[in-house]
Structures are given as C-alpha cells and as structure tokens.
Amino acid sequence: MKYQINNIGILGGSFDPAHKGHVTISKIAIKKVRLKKIYWIITKKNPFKPKPFFSLKDRLKKAKKILNHTKNIQVLFLEDNIKSSRSIETIKYIKKWKKPKNLYLIVGSDILIDLHKWKSWKKLVKLVKLIVFSRKGYDKKSKESIVAKYLNNKKIIFIKNKPIKISSTILRKKAKKNN
C-alpha cells in the first residue's frame, strides 16, 4: 500500500497513561487513511479533565516505551514551544512546521460529541480532517453531533473498529489500587 507523501495524523491528549488502545487506533488510522506519520501530542493537562494521575515526564516515557520504536508514530510535547495547550494552536504549529498536504485529527466518537466546546473549534475543523473512532455507546450520538452536522459529513471519516477494552481510566484505577 502506498502512503500519501505528506498525510499526517495527530492524536492528542493527556495519555494518562498511554496504552495499547492508543497504538491500535494509530495503526488502524495509518493503514485505513494511508497516513505517513502520526504524532501523539501529549498535553500537561486536558482542560476537560482533572489533574493527571501520572507526571508529564512519566507519561512521555510510558508513551515512548509502549510504541517500542514504531517508526511512523512519534511522541511530542509542544506546549513549551507554542506557549499553549490549545488544539487550535497545536494544529497551526504543525501546519507551519511540517507543511502536511492533509492533516488529520484523530478522536473517539465520545470526543466528537463535545468537540464544539473546544476553543476555536470552527477554525480547527477547517484546518484538519477528522478521523473518528468508534467508542461503545457514543457512535450514534457522535454522528448527530453539532460538529458532524456543521461539517455535513465532509472532512470527517468514521472508522468502525472493534471495541477497545483498555482505557487510561482503567489503568489509573489499577495504579491507585497498587499504591
């Protein structure tokens, strides 16, 4: 399969912690959308979630370790460079830095439902195409979301993947029990 010269994907979040589910959806996106590279953009803190359980240093280390030198997925922390944690600023930075032909933002169907709450979301969806992965219990609502309606199903790719049984929430609960 030929990958597009400069199609880049972004999977952002707190990765608190990174897990095999992140790897799985990244590999599916690379294959199905023919992405050349995916950047995991790790943020200090997700504005919609409580303070991360693991330190930024630990989250970066764990993300790199779980990728085990997967050549087309790279872990980045950009907030100090761009002086912002906002997705819109990250997208603008990557567009300027990497000059991709197409830039894809990878999200779960649960995230798409609330994407209209993100800062400058209309500008954001003009700069990227969305790849939306199935999350149990959210798919129908995501397809009827404000953002999906706004995009009129253009610039949005829904991927019907098998349920991913692991989550950062489950891993944090296990870590708390073991402390």
Side-chain angles (χ1 to χ4, degrees):
M1 173 182 355
K2 190 170 187 281
Y3 294 95
Q4 295 300 322
I5 296 299
N6 205 1
N7 280 352
I8 293 174
I10 294 173
L11 180 61
S14 51
F15 291 86
D16 189 26
H19 54 74
K20 294 284 186 198
H22 294 121
V23 178
T24 299
I25 65 169
S26 296
K27 287 181 176 179
I28 291 169
I30 287 167
K31 188 175 179 184
K32 287 203 180 223
V33 188
R34 299 185 355 212
L35 302 176
K36 182 181 181 191
K37 186 154 201 114
I38 290 183
Y39 293 108
W40 284 8
I41 310 294
I42 298 184
T43 185
K44 281 182 190 171
K45 186 195 175 306
N46 180 326
F48 297 105
K49 292 184 178 176
K51 181 180 177 281
F53 181 78
F54 294 99
S55 71
L56 176 62
K57 184 180 173 187
D58 286 343
R59 289 183 282 134
L60 288 164
K61 197 163 92 178
K62 173 101 172 134
K64 288 175 184 172
K65 184 178 178 187
I66 203 161
L67 286 172
N68 194 20
H69 306 290
T70 305
K71 68 176 179 8
N72 45 7
I73 305 171
Q74 185 180 347
V75 175
L76 296 174
F77 173 71
L78 299 174
E79 288 176 27
D80 291 345
N81 294 8
I82 61 178
K83 307 290 183 240
S84 175
S85 63
R86 300 294 185 185
S87 296
I88 185 69
E89 299 307 325
T90 303
I91 298 294
K92 287 180 191 174
Y93 179 84
I94 289 176
K95 278 229 178 241
K96 210 180 283 185
W97 176 39
K98 292 294 180 181
K99 298 177 179 33
K101 183 178 188 299
N102 293 299
L103 189 58
Y104 294 85
L105 181 63
I106 302 165
V107 298
S109 57
D110 56 329
I111 299 298
L112 184 61
I113 292 166
D114 289 326
L115 193 67
H116 68 281
K117 295 176 182 173
W118 291 18
K119 183 172 175 52
S120 306
W121 71 270
K122 285 184 180 177
K123 286 180 188 170
L124 183 119
V125 298
K126 282 184 178 140
L127 296 173
V128 299
K129 295 178 182 183
L130 296 174
I131 300 173
V132 182
F133 277 86
S134 178
R135 293 288 304 262
K136 189 175 166 81
Y138 295 98
D139 293 353
K140 186 176 187 291
K141 201 171 176 185
S142 73
K143 289 178 179 167
E144 298 165 358
S145 69
I146 290 169
V147 175
K149 285 179 181 170
Y150 176 79
L151 291 173
N152 197 19
N153 287 330
K154 293 179 180 85
K155 292 180 65 168
I156 188 165
I157 301 164
F158 288 96
I159 297 194
K160 191 78 180 136
N161 52 288
K162 290 178 185 160
I164 294 171
K165 305 253 190 261
I166 191 73
S167 75
S168 296
T169 304
I170 291 168
L171 294 173
R172 282 193 306 273
K173 284 179 183 172
K174 284 182 182 176
K176 285 175 188 174
K177 277 183 185 174
N178 295 333
N179 274 348

